[in-house]
Amino acid sequence: MSLIKEINLDKMMRPDLLELEEYTPIEPLEKLSERLGIPIEKIVKLDANENPYGCDPAALEALSSNRVYHIYPDPASFFLREALEKFTGFDKERLLVGSGSDELLELLIRLFITPGDNIIDLVPTFGMYSFLGKQYQAEVRAVARDPQTYAVDLEATLKAVDDRTKIIFICTPNNPTANLCPEETIRALLATGKLVVVDEAYHDFAGISYGKLTSEYENLVVLRTFSKLSGLAGLRVGYGIFPLAIIKHLWKIKQPYNVTVAAQAAARASLQDPAWLHEKVGLIVAERARLFGLLQGLDGIEPLASASNFIFCRVHRGNARAIKETLETRGVFIRYFNKPLLKNAFRISVGTPEQTNILMQNLREVLASQA
Ligand SMILES: Cc1ncc(COP(=O)(O)O)c(C=O)c1O
């Protein structure tokens, strides 16, 4: 028997963290395949905005030919930043690479937030801003977008900003609603003097970037990722364009070995052939237009115009959750929402033409069975 009678671990932990909602992890492909009895290659996964074409073969080659996995990675991701300088045109001194852009979001929050400060979250949007903000004891100020168009409500946003506001997050194109934020809105938010983080995870599919504004504003950070365009979501690599006054502190607080040898090698290789990447963007953008037209033809489904690699749909007839769950049993995965401003809705990632065909056939059958 233990001599120590009662240990209350909960009492030793941060109370605010104990109260956080539990995270529901996404089921890995192997498990899904086992549970549904459907082979992995038959699963149509359109729920996480991944690149349906995978990554550049040059990245696969870089991974298989690398012989230094037993050595720790370069903490500065030097060669990758050099390749990014060439690819983006931004000086490598202003580029920092992270384990996904998620890590860069976390580093920024860690650098700027003292408990009790606030961040501005333009909802509905990518959940990571509030998820991380809460973990660092920021007050997360949610400012609702227009319920129809999901445009940022500039007046309400400016009103929400006060002395303790540290960061305004803008996702453009926005996830999950796929609309762009206009430049005037971004400039108006930058004029507050607060740090504005523009999350451009999907900008390649819009053909619009606000990276150019980083030379004009010292309070602007632009974040990008290799997860979407380059098809390297599983390796976790993202990067940001930062003001020098911010990046010098991020270097001090990031974990030294944040980006693995594999991730650096594959990301670097994927930048060597921009034509391959642009071709895939072209295919996805063309398929987005086709998918949009097909979804428009469905009774009771309202797809919203998309500037991204996914389409947000309102469901006016039937239950989005039931539709999503029935599709799942057939091996087709889409993302479902039912929360304020995203009532009875789903988000479908743009896949290959073949995946679109399978999705549409199943969606038609499921809708007919619900009617
Ligand atoms: C808007 C947005 N930002 C960032 C990310 C995360 O990117 P990464 O995979 O680089 O962490 C995602 C991923 O889905 C996203 O939707």
Side-chain angles (χ1 to χ4, degrees), residues 120-124 141-147 150-157 160 340-341:
I120 306 290
D121 195 26
L122 304 171
V123 295
R141 291 202 173 160
V143 180
R145 290 165 178 260
D146 181 283
Y150 299 112
V152 170
D153 181 340
L154 181 58
E155 210 186 307
T157 308
L341 293 165

Side-chain angles (χ1 to χ4, degrees), residues 48 99-102 126 129 171 175 199 201-202 225 227-228 236-238:
S99 171
S101 50
D102 284 349
F126 184 46
Y129 318 133
C171 185
N175 180 8
D199 184 340
Y202 301 99
T225 179
S227 298
K228 315 295 173 183
R236 317 299 303 122
V237 209

Side-chain angles (χ1 to χ4, degrees), residues 119-237:
I119 61 169
I120 306 290
D121 195 26
L122 304 171
V123 295
T125 192
F126 184 46
M128 199 54 77
Y129 318 133
S130 61
F131 172 83
L132 291 170
K134 282 179 206 152
Q135 290 194 13
Y136 286 88
Q137 293 179 288
E139 178 203 338
V140 179
R141 291 202 173 160
V143 180
R145 290 165 178 260
D146 181 283
Q148 275 311 305
T149 63
Y150 299 112
V152 170
D153 181 340
L154 181 58
E155 210 186 307
T157 308
L158 293 176
K159 256 195 210 151
V161 172
D162 67 11
D163 290 352
R164 295 214 65 178
T165 301
K166 288 293 176 67
I167 312 179
I168 303 171
F169 290 98
I170 309 174
C171 185
T172 179
N174 188 41
N175 180 8
T177 53
N179 58 315
L180 283 164
C181 184
E183 185 168 327
E184 315 87 79
T185 305
I186 291 177
R187 284 188 185 273
L189 295 175
L190 282 161
T192 61
K194 305 297 180 183
L195 177 66
V196 173
V197 175
V198 173
D199 184 340
E200 291 197 338
Y202 301 99
H203 81 99
D204 298 282
F205 308 103
I208 290 178
S209 163
Y210 294 119
K212 61 181 192 295
L213 298 185
T214 57
S215 59
E216 276 183 62
Y217 294 92
E218 49 187 358
N219 55 331
L220 172 64
V221 167
V222 174
L223 297 183
R224 298 188 185 154
T225 179
F226 283 84
S227 298
K228 315 295 173 183
L229 170 70
S230 303
L232 293 173
L235 284 179
R236 317 299 303 122
V237 209

Side-chain angles (χ1 to χ4, degrees), residues 84-96:
L84 275 169
E85 177 177 84
K86 216 169 127 205
F87 185 75
T88 63
F90 294 105
D91 186 340
K92 61 178 174 302
E93 295 308 313
R94 297 174 55 211
L95 302 174
L96 185 73

Side-chain angles (χ1 to χ4, degrees), residues 57-110:
L60 294 178
E61 170 55 29
L63 288 169
S64 62
S65 62
N66 199 305
R67 293 289 171 269
V68 288
Y69 291 126
H70 59 298
I71 304 288
Y72 285 106
D74 170 15
S77 296
F78 179 82
F79 291 108
L80 175 53
R81 285 174 38 246
E82 201 172 60
L84 275 169
E85 177 177 84
K86 216 169 127 205
F87 185 75
T88 63
F90 294 105
D91 186 340
K92 61 178 174 302
E93 295 308 313
R94 297 174 55 211
L95 302 174
L96 185 73
V97 181
S99 171
S101 50
D102 284 349
E103 188 199 12
L104 300 172
L105 287 168
E106 178 161 14
L107 287 173
L108 284 168
I109 289 182
R110 209 187 301 156

